[in-house]
Amino acid sequence: MNAKLEEQLLKEHRRDIQNELKDIRLEKAALRAKTFQPNLFTRMMEKLGEWLILHGEKLVKQYESPARQCKPARRKSYAH
């Protein structure tokens, strides 16, 4: 290969690597700046939602009525 061509390719390759590194640094800086810090209201609403889901599931299980179309099993064992 021509020495000048190889030199140009090496310069271009170095430039590409430098551009990629710069992009990676920018991306890391953007991610650091975008850290989500929930405020008190957000944390309280999250806990309330978790509590409602937990107790709502318990209430559904407690007061759940069987479907009308449900037929009782003929056998005592459910294994086939």
Side-chain angles (χ1 to χ4, degrees):
M1 255 188 160
N2 189 358
K4 202 147 183 121
L5 180 61
E6 285 182 26
E7 192 176 316
Q8 279 297 109
L9 287 174
L10 285 174
K11 283 182 183 178
E12 193 172 319
H13 187 63
R14 280 190 204 109
R15 211 175 313 126
D16 288 343
I17 291 173
Q18 288 173 349
N19 286 338
E20 285 181 31
L21 287 173
K22 187 171 72 171
D23 289 344
I24 290 170
R25 287 186 194 115
L26 272 171
E27 196 173 316
K28 283 183 180 179
L31 288 174
R32 270 187 264 125
K34 202 173 184 174
T35 305
F36 177 68
Q37 297 291 332
N39 58 15
L40 179 63
F41 178 76
T42 306
R43 289 193 306 264
M44 288 177 65
M45 287 291 111
E46 185 178 342
K47 295 294 180 189
L48 175 65
E50 290 172 2
W51 183 85
L52 287 171
I53 289 171
L54 179 69
H55 289 284
E57 288 174 352
K58 286 180 184 176
L59 288 172
V60 167
K61 286 179 185 176
Q62 184 177 355
Y63 294 107
E64 189 174 46
S65 60
R68 293 179 186 172
Q69 301 166 347
C70 191
K71 296 179 184 175
R74 294 182 189 153
R75 298 188 233 163
K76 292 183 181 180
S77 172
Y78 289 102
H80 296 283

